[in-house]
Amino acid sequence: MKKFFAELIGTFILVFVGTGTVAFGNGMEGIDHVGIALAFGLSIVAAVYSIGTISGAHLNPAVSIAMFVNKRLNAKDLASYIVAQVVGALLASSFLYFLVSNSGLSVDKVGLGQNALADGVTALGGFLFEVVASFIFILVIVTVTSESKGNAKIAGIVIGLTLVLMILVGLNITGLSVNPARSLAPALFIGGSAFKQVWIFILAPIVGGIFAAIVGDQLLGTEE
């Protein structure tokens, strides 16, 4: 149960801080690209160096599935991790919804940091971008956390900075998800196009994560 609650708390930190920065920072018109990217990246660092020693701080169903593919996680723990991550994300979005609603702001106007395809981006384009971004992000994770190839002392910083990089690339394409739990929670509260498009942000990171796990194992030797 310690791992369950560690993943719940860690995912809560990620979603609350990251999407909360978008909501209360007036998005790209206010805190801008760099501020949003740093908020998500630093929340990863905070989570890794707080609850990471308990659960490994996956904070992301796609990461947990990649770890399962590479046999670092068994089926029972995989199910527990995914449930914890989704619950943590939902709690973060519900708390953020409450705060926005009780701060004189309109949830419909400021949103909850939900993901959505930018104008002109097709579903296929957004899907492929999320697969590639998730592949890069999760490949870094499986490598830097590898017992043979990684470095646990700096893993949190490396992962956080990689997420910053991915957000800088993808914020104007999909809002950058690479994390099904992070996307599902606000979409459930916001509805509309965010909910209609959420399948992209659930499926694409999982596909990218599986590819990353395979490449890490077969090409980079992360499981040796």
Side-chain angles (χ1 to χ4, degrees), residues 24-214:
F24 287 110
N26 195 26
M28 286 184 282
E29 295 179 1
I31 197 168
D32 73 34
H33 285 66
V34 176
I36 293 170
L38 285 174
F40 276 100
L42 291 175
S43 67
I44 288 278
V45 175
V48 168
Y49 290 110
S50 57
I51 58 92
T53 56
I54 303 298
S55 68
H58 294 183
L59 320 179
N60 182 338
V63 172
S64 295
I65 290 171
M67 297 301 182
F68 173 74
V69 169
N70 280 352
K71 298 181 173 61
R72 298 193 204 177
L73 204 64
N74 60 42
K76 181 179 178 181
D77 282 342
L78 173 63
S80 176
Y81 272 47
I82 291 176
V83 171
Q85 291 154 2
V86 171
V87 171
L90 287 171
L91 288 174
S93 288
S94 62
F95 189 39
L96 183 59
Y97 184 94
F98 174 82
L99 291 176
V100 171
S101 300
N102 287 272
S103 63
L105 299 173
S106 168
V107 174
D108 291 336
K109 183 178 180 180
V110 304
L112 295 177
Q114 66 273 11
N115 289 109
L117 299 175
D119 292 342
V121 177
T122 65
L124 177 60
F127 182 87
L128 291 176
F129 172 77
E130 284 289 331
V131 169
V132 172
S134 300
F135 170 79
I136 295 170
F137 179 54
I138 297 174
L139 183 64
V140 170
I141 294 174
V142 298
T143 303
V144 78
T145 59
S146 166
E147 289 188 7
S148 60
K149 307 294 183 181
N151 187 331
K153 292 182 179 179
I154 63 170
I157 296 172
V158 172
I159 295 167
L161 288 176
T162 304
L163 184 58
V164 170
L165 177 64
M166 291 297 97
I167 292 175
L168 290 176
V169 173
L171 202 58
N172 281 336
I173 302 173
T174 62
L176 204 280
S177 170
V178 302
N179 184 334
R182 170 262 180 273
S183 297
L184 176 62
L188 289 174
F189 284 90
I190 293 297
S193 61
F195 185 73
K196 291 178 181 178
Q197 296 172 2
V198 75
W199 68 270
I200 296 171
F201 308 113
I202 293 174
L203 183 58
I206 293 173
V207 173
I210 291 172
F211 282 143
I214 294 170

